[in-house]
Amino acid sequence: MKINIYNLYFRYLFNKIIIASIFISFMILNIILIFTIRNSKQYPDYLYNSLIIHQNYINISYLIINIFNIIIITLISIIYNIKANNFDILFISRLKKTKIYITKLINTIFIILIISLIEFLNINLIGLLFYKEFVIELIDIMNLFQIFMSMLLFYLISMLFTLLINNIIIPLLFMFILISFRILINNIEKIQKISIKILPIINYKGNIYDQTGTFLSLIWIFLLIILTFLVYNIKDLKYFY
């Protein structure tokens, strides 16, 4: 009997906890975004300052999304990189560890892509529904790419640390550090100027996006994939327990 390893691992990851977490995150996100819009959409101020108001809406939206995504990535990391170790043992005798690693990575990338797409559409649809002057431009597609890249980068870093130290505290500690760092970036301009050059952080000012960090993050992701692949294949699974 042939094992559909991709389907098995996808079902293992996409469980009730992940589904509930994503659903709750989107509900809270929408409530916050609508509340933000209602506070900013005051006539005649909106008519004269629509670009600034849209800019603030976009920046707040992606700050909130980053925080929720860090939490979701932490859950994925705990499930795939810690709890799934027992699941890996079931297949390690008939499948190469390379196959298991690739399966986990492909499934994670697929789920991250779906989440990123929903978040991108969600932000823009709410903007179109509640802001009369709100428009979507072709360059806005870069935001979708940035959401995806940041989530994948977060996951690979978390995966690396959990491979080195297999403890549930590690992804939780990493989550706390990332959220704190993201808040600092949003509030301290000096940190933002440095971070935006090396990380996929959405920065929107006057219809201009700064995406230098997005392209550099491709290098980080490529290097992290190689590094996590090597660590996963070198480390004996028995030491995960």
Side-chain angles (χ1 to χ4, degrees):
M1 182 178 177
K2 190 176 180 179
I3 299 174
N4 189 337
I5 192 70
Y6 291 97
N7 185 46
L8 287 174
Y9 270 94
F10 181 81
R11 291 187 178 187
Y12 186 89
L13 174 61
F14 206 63
N15 55 36
K16 292 180 180 179
I17 296 175
I18 290 294
I19 294 172
S21 300
I22 294 172
F23 178 77
I24 293 171
S25 296
F26 281 124
M27 290 293 293
I28 296 173
L29 172 64
N30 287 336
I31 291 171
I32 295 173
L33 293 183
I34 293 172
F35 181 77
T36 301
I37 289 175
R38 292 189 63 177
N39 284 345
S40 63
K41 190 181 174 183
Q42 300 293 328
Y43 288 87
D45 290 343
Y46 174 71
L47 294 176
Y48 291 106
N49 300 290
S50 59
L51 288 178
I52 296 175
I53 291 173
H54 294 167
Q55 174 183 318
N56 291 334
Y57 166 71
I58 290 172
N59 289 333
I60 291 172
S61 299
Y62 286 111
L63 169 63
I64 298 168
I65 275 182
N66 263 271
I67 292 173
F68 281 130
N69 285 348
I70 290 169
I71 296 172
I72 292 172
I73 287 300
T74 300
L75 290 173
I76 293 175
S77 182
I78 290 172
I79 292 170
Y80 251 4
N81 302 323
I82 295 179
K83 291 189 175 181
N85 291 327
N86 290 320
F87 199 59
D88 295 348
I89 294 295
L90 298 176
F91 306 103
I92 201 67
S93 60
R94 52 178 115 175
L95 293 172
K96 292 182 178 180
K97 291 177 71 175
T98 300
K99 178 74 171 179
I100 296 176
Y101 174 87
I102 293 173
T103 300
K104 287 182 176 182
L105 183 61
I106 289 175
N107 283 341
T108 303
I109 288 174
F110 177 73
I111 289 177
I112 288 174
L113 181 60
I114 295 299
I115 293 173
S116 302
L117 181 59
I118 294 173
E119 288 174 342
F120 173 76
L121 293 174
N122 191 69
I123 286 176
N124 287 282
L125 286 174
I126 289 178
L128 288 172
L129 287 172
F130 289 91
Y131 284 130
K132 187 176 181 181
E133 303 295 326
F134 192 88
V135 293
I136 302 176
E137 299 179 355
L138 184 60
I139 196 172
D140 293 336
I141 299 297
M142 281 300 300
N143 292 343
L144 171 60
F145 184 63
Q146 284 181 292
I147 296 171
F148 171 77
M149 294 296 289
S150 62
M151 289 188 75
L152 183 56
L153 186 62
F154 294 159
Y155 172 74
L156 289 170
I157 296 173
S158 181
M159 180 182 183
L160 177 62
F161 280 102
T162 50
L163 284 174
L164 294 173
I165 306 174
N166 190 251
N167 192 303
I168 196 172
I169 298 297
I170 300 303
L172 293 175
L173 179 62
F174 182 66
M175 176 185 72
F176 175 76
I177 293 172
L178 277 179
I179 292 176
S180 301
F181 182 63
R182 189 61 187 86
I183 293 172
L184 286 175
I185 291 173
N186 195 67
N187 291 281
I188 302 177
E189 190 173 353
K190 287 184 179 180
I191 297 178
Q192 184 185 89
K193 286 181 179 179
I194 297 172
S195 303
I196 204 167
K197 302 300 179 183
I198 59 176
L199 296 171
I201 300 167
I202 295 169
N203 186 43
Y204 177 71
K205 291 184 178 179
N207 291 331
I208 298 175
Y209 290 90
D210 190 341
Q211 284 126 0
T212 53
T214 300
F215 299 111
L216 185 57
S217 65
L218 287 170
I219 299 174
W220 298 125
I221 287 173
F222 177 73
L223 292 175
L224 282 167
I225 288 175
I226 294 175
L227 189 56
T228 52
F229 173 78
L230 291 173
V231 173
Y232 186 82
N233 279 275
I234 292 172
K235 191 167 183 178
D236 195 331
L237 286 181
K238 68 182 181 180
Y239 294 114
F240 284 151
Y241 307 105

